Amino acid sequence: ISGDVPPRVAEELLQLAKKVGVIAEHGVALPLEPTRQDLAVSVGIDVSAVNHYLRILAAQGIIQLSRVTATILEPDALEQIAK
């Protein structure tokens, strides 16, 4: 993933959380559809690259992925990536 993609994806996730996020037990949940497509369009990458980066964030414990949602567990970490 290009070096400028992680900050752009992190920033877009934070913006989507403000717009469509739902407070969940462990963070802010975002519906994955259309979120993946929204991220791809906003950041200018394809959906497979978005999925790859979301899996990286999940492996780092910053987000949690399920079949239908991405839950932001560590918004402060996303903010650091976005800087």
Side-chain angles (χ1 to χ4, degrees), residues 2 4 6 8 18-19 21 24-25 29-30 32-33 35-36 42 47 55 57-58 61 66 77-78 81-82:
S2 172
D4 67 332
R8 294 187 348 231
K18 291 177 186 174
K19 292 178 189 172
E25 184 177 349
L30 303 170
L32 279 179
E33 297 303 337
T35 298
R36 285 183 248 219
S42 296
V47 175
R55 285 191 301 274
L57 290 173
S66 75
L78 271 183
I81 294 168

Side-chain angles (χ1 to χ4, degrees), residues 58-69:
Q60 295 173 340
I62 296 170
I63 67 171
Q64 180 179 31
L65 294 174
S66 75
R67 285 188 45 211
V68 295
T69 61

Side-chain angles (χ1 to χ4, degrees), residues 1-2 5-6 8-10 12-13 16 30-58 63 65 70:
I1 292 179
S2 172
V5 170
R8 294 187 348 231
V9 171
E12 192 62 27
L13 280 171
L16 286 169
L30 303 170
L32 279 179
E33 297 303 337
T35 298
R36 285 183 248 219
Q37 186 62 38
D38 292 340
L39 283 168
V41 169
S42 296
V43 177
I45 59 177
D46 62 34
V47 175
S48 65
V50 167
N51 289 335
H52 175 72
Y53 190 62
L54 291 176
R55 285 191 301 274
I56 289 171
L57 290 173
I63 67 171
L65 294 174

